Amino acid sequence: MTWQYEITGIEGNAILFDTNIFEYDWHETGEYVSVTDPLYHQSCRFPIYVVYINDELHKFAAGEFSNNVWGFYLPKY
């Protein structure tokens, strides 16, 4: 499994899984993943989260690239 960059969004407004991901409660898994910022190519260590949307469990990694600018990554098998 690898982690693939999906989107960058501003805090409070980022569409992931066809919805604004900030409208849901994220639950940390206690795991972390190393990813690369797609713009500046810097290595980042982001926590892995799970979230329930319409009774479906989704897994993603997310963190702030800069103040209020979030990057989201999805697992790819």
Side-chain angles (χ1 to χ4, degrees):
M1 181 189 68
T2 61
W3 289 87
Q4 183 175 321
Y5 167 77
E6 188 70 18
I7 62 160
T8 298
I10 356 182
E11 186 163 334
N13 187 19
I15 303 301
L16 191 65
F17 311 117
D18 296 321
T19 191
N20 182 357
I21 194 67
F22 286 100
E23 293 179 358
Y24 294 86
D25 292 325
W26 309 358
H27 304 280
E28 286 192 50
T29 65
E31 300 173 291
Y32 290 82
V33 63
S34 292
V35 295
T36 302
D37 177 330
L39 184 59
Y40 297 107
H41 308 289
Q42 295 180 359
S43 181
C44 304
R45 187 170 182 252
F46 288 168
I48 298 173
Y49 298 94
V50 292
V51 62
Y52 283 95
I53 300 172
N54 297 326
D55 295 324
E56 188 175 334
L57 181 68
H58 297 277
K59 189 175 190 178
F60 64 97
E64 283 186 282
F65 288 139
S66 63
N67 192 29
N68 294 323
V69 178
W70 286 75
F72 294 86
Y73 292 78
L74 298 179
K76 298 296 176 187
Y77 296 90

